[in-house]
Amino acid sequence: MNPLSVSRRQRLRASGAACAAMACAVVLGAATPAHAFSGGNHEKITRAALGPGGWHQNSLTAMADGNSGAIVANDHGEYFGIGKLHCDNADYLDPRYDSRYPRTREQANAEIIDCVEGSIDHVRRAVAAADRLVDANGRVIATQTSISPACSWNDRPGRAKCEVLEDLGRGWHQIEDFYAHSNWVDQAGPGAIGVKNPPGLGRTDLPVFFSIGRYSSMSRADWVKDATGHIPHDLATGCYPDLDHSGTVSNCTGRVTHDGVLNKDTKDSPRSVVAHNFDHAYDLAVKDIARQWKDFEDELQLRYPNNGRAKAMICAITHDHPDKTCS
């Protein structure tokens, strides 16, 4: 697999420095509007996607808990204010709707690609960390697969299972958010299309550009070209005052916004109640996380084919006491 050119920690440090320089503490603090599927909805989506796959209770809770699970790690601390971790700021209106819209299709595409790259980065790291779950003969390593005491989602080296869960949770979070924050699945409200009522794409398929497994062995240039080619012309995600891909806090004046316009983070959001938009976003997010988990299993099989290692890794991730049950 091809590692990304800049590490996750380097990017986060750079984003944090940019944020500090721009005095955006409010963005990263807790006193902000809803910015993602609520924790409860992230939990429901993740449990619905993974539960049928044989995950044991404690391992599934470590991943999916709406308050402290890996799936909501991006909603805590500095991560909350980094737009790519929530698929924000890819807003766009075609000139047929607004000839003076302040963002181009190319700028919107750059934010989508940044979001996809974040997922690719985390999934690749999860694949690498899985190597430490079992030994060369496929035997589970007890010290690396325990989730007691509870994992700390702090972006630091630790037990292999905690690292795998954290990277998957962080990589999947923005995929779930994409459906709540974009117009991929939804329909516009009644009236004229514009900044306060952007078009809806009404899609029922899973985006090709989030098929992370598709890009696992591709160079960055190749997957960026491929992914960009699959971005629909009218796709948009809402502008939110967090860090965009350039490290600049987004100025949402005159733009399609997350708050009050495009988000479907809860059933009560204005866009949610139009044409069952929330339900469509929720259902497709469940299907996509199920796809992501299947792709991750397949990636382990490709990366670690010998001595039943991949099968043991999958068991170690999903079972609560893998040293006893995955022999």
Side-chain angles (χ1 to χ4, degrees), residues 129-182:
D131 191 26
R132 295 187 287 109
L133 295 169
V134 302
D135 65 19
N137 296 311
R139 291 187 293 263
V140 169
I141 302 172
T143 56
Q144 292 292 331
T145 55
S146 174
I147 52 174
S148 180
C151 300
S152 298
W153 316 125
N154 56 13
D155 199 34
R156 298 174 183 171
R159 285 162 284 162
K161 182 166 180 175
C162 293
E163 289 189 31
V164 171
L165 293 177
E166 178 172 8
D167 274 306
L168 290 179
R170 291 194 185 279
W172 293 346
H173 178 96
Q174 60 253 51
I175 295 176
E176 293 182 6
D177 274 357
F178 170 79
Y179 295 101
H181 294 184
S182 76

Side-chain angles (χ1 to χ4, degrees), residues 105-146:
R105 181 68 260 169
E106 290 72 25
Q107 288 173 308
N109 287 353
E111 301 300 335
I112 293 292
I113 293 301
D114 202 35
C115 178
V116 175
E117 183 168 32
S119 284
I120 293 174
D121 184 12
H122 283 295
V123 172
R124 286 176 172 175
R125 290 176 181 276
V127 170
D131 191 26
R132 295 187 287 109
L133 295 169
V134 302
D135 65 19
N137 296 311
R139 291 187 293 263
V140 169
I141 302 172
T143 56
Q144 292 292 331
T145 55
S146 174

Side-chain angles (χ1 to χ4, degrees), residues 178-189 193 197-204 234-238 256 261-264 270-282 284:
F178 170 79
Y179 295 101
H181 294 184
S182 76
N183 62 347
W184 181 270
V185 303
D186 68 14
Q187 297 182 33
I193 298 297
N197 187 33
L201 301 183
R203 301 283 290 258
T204 60
D234 284 328
L235 178 65
T237 72
V256 174
V261 176
L262 199 51
N263 92 79
K264 296 165 287 294
R271 187 86 166 187
S272 292
V273 299
V274 177
H276 302 286
N277 283 338
F278 176 89
D279 296 331
H280 297 316
Y282 178 96
L284 212 55

Side-chain angles (χ1 to χ4, degrees), residues 251-267:
N251 179 350
C252 296
T253 302
R255 296 167 61 179
V256 174
T257 59
H258 169 95
D259 290 332
V261 176
L262 199 51
N263 92 79
K264 296 165 287 294
D265 293 332
T266 71
K267 286 191 173 184

Side-chain angles (χ1 to χ4, degrees), residues 15-29 32 81 241-243 247-250:
S15 296
C19 189
M22 303 182 74
C24 58
V26 172
V27 173
L28 302 185
T32 51
D242 53 14
L243 297 173
T248 302
V249 178
S250 297

